[in-house]
Amino acid sequence: MILPIFTYGSPVLRKVAQPISLDYPDLDTLIQNMFDTMYNASGVGLAAPQVGLPIRIFVVDGAPMDDSEEGGENLQGFKHVFINPVILEETGEEWAFEEGCLSIPGIREEVWRPEKIRLKYQTPSGETIESSFEGIQARIIQHEYDHIDGVLFTDHLQGLKKQLIKSKLIRLAKGIHQAGYPTRLQKNK
Ligand code: NI
């Protein structure tokens, strides 16, 4: 089932989300709905706060960004559900990559982040896994991980870039955008 994606200005996007237990009600359905919602919007990652739930879970599928035929990064197998993830460390040089966000339609900007992460997380079947990611895989995880801490990629912008998107963000917070998929703007509370 495709869920509406909560857009910029919705308070749920600013909450520090809570850990969940693996017997969270209808977890499998939620995960399937999150994938359906992400694919429908042509995204490569979606965090629970983006569908209105302040809980620490996100899904990713990097296949649309696969660049292996051009000698780039292979993202075909990069499909995961990350439950209660913890970034244990971020290492390597910071690099710039243009990010967008399904909750912030119409804005794309370069964001600087460290190139490698070490992540501990749970899977839906209850395994606890510790794994390293780099490049675009790390990038997608870092972006989604920010969501469960109430942080948006636009928060990382500085100076002139921040100034230039200010009016767009104000319009988004009023519900003015052309997302092309179902959205919801939550009222302040
Ligand atoms: Ni996002």
Side-chain angles (χ1 to χ4, degrees):
M1 184 169 74
I2 293 163
L3 306 171
I5 295 177
F6 286 62
T7 51
Y8 186 90
S10 300
V12 69
L13 295 177
R14 292 308 196 176
K15 285 190 178 156
V16 175
Q18 294 299 306
I20 60 165
S21 86
L22 290 170
D23 53 16
Y24 187 85
D26 298 319
L27 183 59
D28 291 343
T29 306
L30 172 64
I31 290 165
Q32 188 56 53
N33 290 346
M34 287 177 69
F35 275 115
D36 290 349
T37 302
M38 180 182 79
Y39 291 135
N40 179 64
S42 303
V44 294
L46 187 76
Q50 296 182 273
V51 292
L53 298 171
I55 55 175
R56 301 185 81 82
I57 174 171
F58 55 82
V59 301
V60 302
D61 187 345
M65 288 178 74
D66 178 64
D67 197 19
S68 47
E69 283 192 7
E70 277 77 48
E73 202 172 321
N74 188 345
L75 291 158
Q76 285 300 342
F78 186 58
K79 179 181 177 180
H80 292 283
V81 179
F82 296 107
I83 299 172
N84 301 323
V86 179
I87 292 183
L88 301 172
E89 68 174 354
E90 289 185 300
T91 55
E93 295 227 349
E94 293 213 348
W95 64 298
F97 186 75
E98 192 184 76
E99 296 186 24
C101 179
L102 298 178
S103 292
I104 312 178
I107 299 180
R108 298 191 66 84
E109 288 291 344
E110 279 191 347
V111 179
W112 290 78
R113 300 184 193 265
E115 64 181 341
K116 295 177 188 169
I117 61 166
R118 183 136 192 95
L119 189 77
K120 185 177 176 180
Y121 63 96
Q122 289 175 283
T123 67
S125 56
E127 284 177 286
T128 298
I129 295 178
E130 211 180 295
S131 188
S132 295
F133 300 91
E134 59 180 71
I136 293 171
Q137 297 189 3
R139 175 64 60 144
I140 294 169
I141 292 170
Q142 287 162 319
H143 176 114
E144 299 310 324
Y145 191 88
D146 268 357
H147 274 299
I148 60 174
D149 279 338
V151 175
L152 301 171
F153 84 87
T154 47
D155 299 343
H156 294 287
L157 304 177
Q158 292 173 339
L160 185 60
K161 275 188 189 170
K162 200 177 190 91
Q163 284 303 312
L164 287 171
I165 62 161
K166 209 171 178 179
S167 61
K168 283 190 188 174
L169 290 178
I170 289 169
R171 281 193 300 170
L172 266 176
K174 291 177 181 167
I176 304 166
H177 63 78
Q178 294 178 321
Y181 43 81
T183 61
R184 180 175 297 173
L185 178 59
Q186 188 186 30
K187 294 279 190 299
N188 280 303
K189 61 178 178 194

